[in-house]
Amino acid sequence: MAMATISTALRWSDISAAGSRELPTPADDNAADRPESTRPADTKSSGSTKAAKGGTTKAKEPATKTSSVDPRLGPGEIVMITPAPIAQASYYKVGDYVTFAWNYTSLVIEPAKIDVFVTCQANSASYAISNNASFEPTGSVVWDTKPEASGTAPLLTETYTLIIHDASKDVTSVPQAGRLRTYDQLRFGMYKPQPYKSLKGKLPLLPNR
């Protein structure tokens, strides 16, 4: 009787131990035939994020270039070619064409546009010659001084001043290093020819000797 009890206990122990073991999961023969959307997601990570196929990657924008000028430099200047800087005072007849030409020196930052005009202090008038002219390494303008071309006050027999400056700045702007300084150094005269008057019959009588 004791032996039977021991044998029965052993059989129940074997059944209990077998029940506690993990049973193998049956293989799914139809897994290969399933569509990809129903397959289990791959949770493995490659350690880096990859861009989707066909996606676009935004290129880096180039850095904006800025012009820097040594503040110890002086401003850009104008050197006259016509009339020559060593020439004596120039006089032009009202109604003629007057040519001015010049070069630039010490100019680091070129102005985009140039204004050229003349002023007369006697009548507080200014006469435009060229407005917003494109910058050229050698500048030149031709001034038509006919009364109908001046467009403002009539030209007087007076002294005039030539003004050349950066069109983007005021004439009285403080000059900056490497940039064009307003030029106002050339002074010249304009005159109106007088009509001819005959002196016949107006000569003084000389005493007889």
Side-chain angles (χ1 to χ4, degrees):
M1 188 66 180
M3 290 295 294
T5 301
I6 293 172
S7 177
T8 301
L10 287 173
R11 282 199 300 272
W12 279 109
S13 175
D14 292 341
I15 292 172
S16 177
S20 64
R21 294 175 186 171
E22 185 179 354
L23 297 177
T25 304
D28 189 351
D29 295 335
N30 298 324
D33 297 334
R34 291 181 184 175
E36 291 185 1
S37 58
T38 60
R39 293 181 185 178
D42 186 6
T43 57
K44 292 183 180 180
S45 173
S46 62
S48 61
T49 306
K50 295 183 179 179
K53 240 181 186 179
T56 56
T57 304
K58 187 177 180 181
K60 291 183 179 179
E61 296 181 358
T64 303
K65 294 182 179 180
T66 56
S67 298
S68 58
V69 180
D70 189 340
R72 294 172 296 179
L73 295 176
E77 304 286 356
I78 283 176
V79 178
M80 295 303 299
I81 302 174
T82 306
I86 60 173
Q88 295 180 351
S90 300
Y91 296 92
Y92 305 99
K93 184 173 68 176
V94 174
D96 285 353
Y97 291 94
V98 181
T99 299
F100 300 107
W102 62 89
N103 280 328
Y104 299 93
T105 181
S106 304
L107 193 61
V108 179
I109 301 177
E110 299 174 352
K113 301 290 182 180
I114 295 293
D115 281 350
V116 184
F117 61 96
V118 298
T119 61
C120 178
Q121 189 174 3
N123 60 359
S124 301
S126 62
Y127 304 85
I129 301 177
S130 178
N131 290 326
N132 287 320
S134 297
F135 175 85
E136 297 290 344
T138 298
S140 65
V141 293
V142 177
W143 182 27
D144 184 358
T145 66
K146 290 193 292 292
E148 61 270 21
S150 63
T152 53
L155 292 168
L156 306 177
T157 300
E158 275 293 345
T159 300
Y160 294 78
T161 302
L162 177 68
I163 307 292
I164 306 172
H165 75 106
D166 184 343
S168 68
K169 298 184 179 299
D170 191 75
V171 177
T172 57
S173 295
V174 177
Q176 298 176 340
R179 296 181 181 273
L180 182 62
R181 183 207 300 268
T182 296
Y183 177 79
D184 59 356
Q185 299 302 307
L186 177 63
R187 288 172 175 77
F188 58 94
M190 299 293 295
Y191 68 92
K192 290 182 178 181
Q194 298 299 317
Y196 171 77
K197 292 183 179 180
S198 175
L199 298 178
K200 186 178 180 179
K202 296 183 179 180
L203 292 174
L205 296 174
L206 297 176
N208 292 327
R209 291 183 181 179

